Amino acid sequence: MMMSHDEQESIESLSLLNVVRSFRYWPRIFQLLWKVSAKDLICFSILNLIQGFLPALSIMATQQLINNITSTQEKILGAFLFFIAVSIFFGAVSIYQSYFESLYQAKLSNYTNVIIMEKASRLTLADFENSQVQDQLKRVQTDSGYRPFQITKQIFGIASNLISLVSMISIVMIWNWWAALLLILIPVISFFSFLRIGRQEFVIQWKRAPKSRSAWYLSYLLTRDNSFKEVKLYTLGSYFVKQYRKICEDFFAEDKLLAGKRLKYSVVYKLIDNLSSYSIIFLAVISAYRGQLPIGNVVGIFQSISQVQGRSDSIVQQVLGLCQNNLFLEQLFSFLDIDSTERERLQERSEIKEINKIEFRDVSFRYQGKQQYALKNINFTLEQGQTVAIVGHNGSGKSTLIKILLQLYAQTKGQILINDLPIQEINDVSYQKRVGAVFQDFVQYEMPVRQNIGYGNIGEVDNDQRIAEAASNAGIDTLIENLPNKLDTQLGRWFEHGHQLSGGQWQRIAIARAFMRDADVYILDEPSSFLDPEAERDVFERFHDLIKNRIGIFISHRLSSVNFADQIWVMEEGEIVEMGTHAELMARNQTYARLYRLQADAYSTNVSAV
């Protein structure tokens, strides 16, 4: 899943060997490029290869034109027409290359973002709660819009420049072989100097991911409406801006240091490169003065030297950039390979069409990296027609139990049976389709009402009747009728014409979303957190009617609302310590009875005070 210690060291000690190793991803990148658009890839490849031959062809056309100035009119005309044809062809290739590049860049960027989103949608909740996975996701998301195309352009750019380099060095080599060798040798030496800078740049970018996420979160807090009220009240805005500015300043200081090192290497390299080029040009001029070279050939050599310098610089920078981008590829494919067999395993599991029975046998669970168990030896059986309420203090394990039941986490120990079949043998997707749930931290989609409810059963998102039934079951049919555009009313304040709801109305929307699903199991996790007592009673009564002949589970802190449940479970420190009806638990006079009386006394005291 994550990078090993050896891979971390590999990044820290980027060398020529590491660079060579990084090319192992080339087959996969070409597979990706082919999937994006085979036709555009072929056109892009051909145009880049042609582009590689054109500079040398242009130099030859110029050289021929100058050498034929003193020849016959027919030869001058022929050389001039050849020069024009090469120039026109050069321009046409450049225009079409830019055209295909822009199209292919857009397609590649979109495709890469889509496969990252698809992969993210298949991750587990444990993955999303893993900070290292979040850092990895941040790295690939940040660079996914441009890195893949950069890699593509660099690969073909290197090929094109190498063709140009070889062809133009051949022009110089015809005159003087050691001059051609000198033109090649200097860029090769500079490559190893810039490789060190490239390593430092990648390491810095690699280590920035956690701070980059922190900067994003600070910006999120200042621009999100549900956090703005508290930020404003506690005057946190200037503090968050200061923290954000500090991260940006740290990043800038690192960038400035690297830019200084790159500048130093660039000045030294350019000085040596220019001295060698001027020496070769001086020798060419002397040869022409002595009559050993035609003037056209001298001009061709001048142009070749200039082109060799430019192409050499480009190749060095492209190879260095490719080294860094290949390390990005390592991160991209490493992310895409997280649990890569999960889909295959799901396809091999049994489909489930109905949930009749749920059984937990000695189920325990602990979070990754924790020694203490969040759930310990949980045992129960639920069948169709049963309703259970789970109560207990915060942190007692209630929500964790629900996440295990939903298979958002896999149990650490014990066995979960669905219809007497181990849950590991059941396809997760088919199982989760049979469950409707409202989470404590339900989502408020900044979208129209239709989507907010219809997402509970995405296949019915355009079914007005089905959505209306779910809304009625949640008691918000009148609310929707009074909205300006009914089901098509935009909710929230993020987008134009948005209509903001109260917390209780948003919660009922989330409940309607759960009711939208024709499920066998319905779960409400703290469904009354935004509801007043009257609205809460209404929701529970509707819930009770909806779950007849189904399994119903709800979590609540308000013990006065759980009387209708067939059973009440009391949880403490990850264990179910009591089970029974309200009357049975009150008669036992243990944890439930004590909590119930505390809430009743508090309510009575408040009423008396009023």
Side-chain angles (χ1 to χ4, degrees):
M1 179 187 297
M2 299 309 304
M3 295 193 71
S4 67
H5 178 68
D6 290 341
E7 288 174 313
Q8 297 264 5
E9 287 186 344
S10 174
I11 288 174
E12 292 288 343
S13 57
L14 178 61
S15 63
L16 189 59
L17 180 60
N18 299 127
V19 170
V20 173
R21 286 175 180 169
S22 70
F23 292 126
R24 67 183 181 275
Y25 288 107
W26 276 35
R28 292 188 67 174
I29 190 64
F30 276 109
Q31 287 177 5
L32 187 148
L33 297 175
W34 186 263
K35 287 179 181 178
V36 171
S37 174
K39 176 185 174 182
D40 288 346
L41 179 61
I42 292 171
C43 293
F44 188 66
S45 305
I46 292 173
L47 288 171
N48 271 278
L49 292 177
I50 292 173
Q51 191 76 271
F53 288 104
L54 286 178
L57 190 62
S58 179
I59 290 172
M60 291 172 63
T62 303
Q63 181 175 293
Q64 183 177 338
L65 178 62
I66 293 173
N67 286 339
N68 282 293
I69 286 177
T70 57
S71 300
T72 63
Q73 292 183 351
E74 290 78 7
K75 286 187 176 183
I76 294 175
L77 181 62
F80 183 65
L81 291 175
F82 179 64
F83 177 80
I84 292 175
V86 170
S87 299
I88 293 174
F89 186 60
F90 203 140
V93 170
S94 296
I95 291 172
Y96 275 98
Q97 185 180 26
S98 298
Y99 169 76
F100 279 105
E101 276 188 8
S102 62
L103 292 182
Y104 197 73
Q105 181 176 11
K107 288 182 180 179
L108 181 58
S109 175
N110 293 339
Y111 182 83
T112 306
N113 283 318
V114 166
I115 62 175
I116 290 172
M117 290 175 66
E118 286 177 340
K119 183 61 185 182
S121 71
R122 295 194 296 270
L123 295 179
T124 66
L125 182 59
D127 290 326
F128 268 95
E129 292 177 349
N130 186 317
S131 63
Q132 291 180 311
V133 173
Q134 285 291 332
D135 287 344
Q136 197 171 12
L137 178 58
K138 175 67 178 177
R139 291 183 186 107
V140 297
Q141 277 186 312
T142 300
D143 295 343
S144 62
Y146 70 96
R147 290 275 191 186
F149 182 73
Q150 268 192 348
I151 293 167
T152 305
K153 196 170 181 180
Q154 285 165 347
I155 290 172
F156 287 106
I158 290 171
S160 177
N161 283 325
L162 280 173
I163 292 172
S164 297
L165 195 62
V166 169
S167 56
M168 287 182 290
I169 284 177
S170 299
I171 294 174
V172 178
M173 189 172 288
I174 292 172
W175 165 61
N176 192 309
W177 68 268
W178 63 261
L181 181 62
L182 185 60
L183 289 175
I184 297 173
L185 188 61
I186 293 173
V188 171
I189 294 172
S190 72
F191 169 77
F192 292 97
S193 300
F194 284 108
L195 181 61
R196 184 180 177 186
I197 301 294
R199 180 196 69 83
Q200 293 176 352
E201 287 178 346
F202 182 81
V203 170
I204 285 175
Q205 292 298 326
W206 167 267
K207 290 180 177 179
R208 275 184 183 179
K211 279 192 173 182
S212 294
R213 285 202 298 123
S214 296
W216 170 86
Y217 184 63
L218 290 168
S219 174
Y220 171 88
L221 289 174
L222 284 169
T223 56
R224 177 85 174 184
D225 58 349
N226 64 354
S227 58
F228 181 79
K229 297 187 293 292
E230 190 163 310
V231 169
K232 195 74 172 176
L233 176 64
Y234 294 117
T235 60
L236 298 173
S238 59
Y239 176 79
F240 287 159
V241 170
K242 182 179 179 181
Q243 296 294 106
Y244 183 88
R245 184 184 292 115
K246 177 65 168 58
I247 293 173
C248 293
E249 287 172 353
D250 289 344
F251 286 172
F252 178 77
E254 292 173 341
D255 293 338
K256 183 178 180 181
L257 182 63
L258 282 176
K261 290 183 178 180
R262 183 174 286 277
L263 175 64
K264 181 179 69 174
Y265 283 115
S266 298
V267 168
V268 173
Y269 162 67
K270 187 57 68 176
L271 180 62
I272 297 173
D273 190 35
N274 285 338
L275 285 174
S276 61
S277 298
Y278 296 152
S279 300
I280 294 170
I281 290 172
F282 178 75
L283 290 176
V285 170
I286 295 298
S287 296
Y289 177 77
R290 293 174 177 173
Q292 297 170 346
L293 272 178
I295 297 298
N297 288 48
V298 174
V299 173
I301 289 171
F302 285 2
Q303 289 182 326
S304 296
I305 291 172
S306 177
Q307 287 281 346
V308 166
Q309 282 184 315
R311 301 288 169 166
S312 298
D313 288 345
S314 294
I315 290 174
V316 169
Q317 296 305 319
Q318 286 169 338
V319 171
L320 289 171
L322 192 58
C323 296
Q324 293 185 29
N325 287 330
N326 269 306
L327 290 169
F328 160 76
L329 280 182
E330 188 170 335
Q331 301 310 304
L332 173 63
F333 291 128
S334 176
F335 174 76
L336 295 178
D337 289 341
I338 294 175
D339 293 332
S340 59
T341 59
E342 179 67 17
R343 206 170 198 181
E344 298 173 8
R345 291 193 295 105
L346 285 176
Q347 291 174 347
E348 294 170 359
R349 295 178 178 182
S350 303
E351 297 280 336
I352 187 169
K353 300 187 181 299
E354 187 178 19
I355 298 175
N356 301 313
K357 180 181 175 184
I358 300 173
E359 184 178 0
F360 274 43
R361 295 180 182 174
D362 294 321
V363 171
S364 296
F365 172 78
R366 65 182 175 191
Y367 290 96
Q368 186 177 5
K370 301 290 185 181
Q371 294 297 321
Q372 186 176 359
Y373 280 88
L375 296 178
K376 293 175 280 188
N377 303 319
I378 302 295
N379 290 276
F380 65 79
T381 300
L382 283 174
E383 297 183 353
Q384 278 186 345
Q386 285 188 304
T387 305
V388 63
I390 306 175
V391 301
H393 293 293
N394 290 333
S396 59
K398 303 185 299 297
S399 294
T400 301
L401 175 60
I402 296 304
K403 291 172 184 176
I404 296 293
L405 178 62
L406 292 172
Q407 284 297 279
L408 298 176
Y409 297 128
Q411 71 272 23
T412 307
K413 294 181 181 179
Q415 193 173 31
I416 301 175
L417 302 175
I418 307 298
N419 302 341
D420 297 321
L421 187 68
I423 201 166
Q424 288 82 3
E425 298 178 15
I426 298 173
N427 182 292
D428 284 354
V429 176
S430 70
Y431 169 69
Q432 289 167 348
K433 282 182 178 179
R434 307 307 308 160
V435 181
V438 179
F439 296 104
Q440 188 173 353
D441 53 347
F442 61 89
V443 179
Q444 299 178 17
Y445 293 99
E446 299 278 335
M447 296 178 180
V449 177
R450 177 184 304 281
Q451 278 74 20
N452 265 279
I453 297 176
Y455 282 167
N457 187 350
I458 192 63
E460 301 290 337
V461 73
D462 294 319
N463 187 333
D464 288 7
Q465 183 178 351
R466 186 75 185 86
I467 294 175
E469 289 175 2
S472 178
N473 288 332
I476 53 171
D477 44 344
T478 303
L479 168 67
I480 293 173
E481 281 299 313
N482 291 329
L483 291 174
N485 295 311
K486 307 295 190 294
L487 289 177
D488 295 316
T489 302
Q490 172 71 35
L491 297 184
R493 293 296 190 192
W494 282 24
F495 300 102
E496 193 175 3
H497 305 305
H499 186 92
Q500 187 59 283
L501 302 179
S502 68
Q505 290 170 332
W506 271 115
Q507 192 156 39
R508 289 217 187 210
I509 289 282
I511 292 170
R513 186 159 59 243
F515 290 170
M516 183 73 184
R517 180 164 289 190
D518 184 19
D520 303 313
V521 180
Y522 285 99
I523 300 170
L524 301 185
D525 186 357
E526 290 292 348
S528 58
S529 54
F530 289 98
L531 302 178
D532 57 54
E534 185 178 353
E536 177 189 43
R537 171 60 63 180
D538 179 60
V539 166
F540 283 152
E541 287 176 354
R542 292 174 183 275
F543 179 65
H544 190 259
D545 291 338
L546 180 70
I547 61 176
K548 288 177 180 177
N549 301 320
R550 294 180 170 98
I551 296 173
I553 302 170
F554 68 96
I555 298 173
S556 179
H557 280 96
R558 296 179 185 174
L559 304 189
S560 59
S561 304
V562 302
N563 296 346
F564 73 87
D566 298 321
Q567 271 202 329
I568 300 170
W569 299 348
V570 183
M571 293 195 68
E572 283 186 351
E573 297 182 356
E575 297 181 87
I576 299 176
V577 296
E578 290 184 70
M579 284 184 172
T581 64
H582 172 73
E584 289 170 348
L585 295 179
M586 290 301 293
R588 290 177 191 168
N589 198 28
Q590 295 179 2
T591 302
Y592 177 81
R594 178 174 57 82
L595 292 175
Y596 187 86
R597 292 191 185 99
L598 282 172
Q599 287 193 10
D601 289 345
Y603 180 75
S604 298
T605 301
N606 291 335
V607 170
S608 298
V610 173

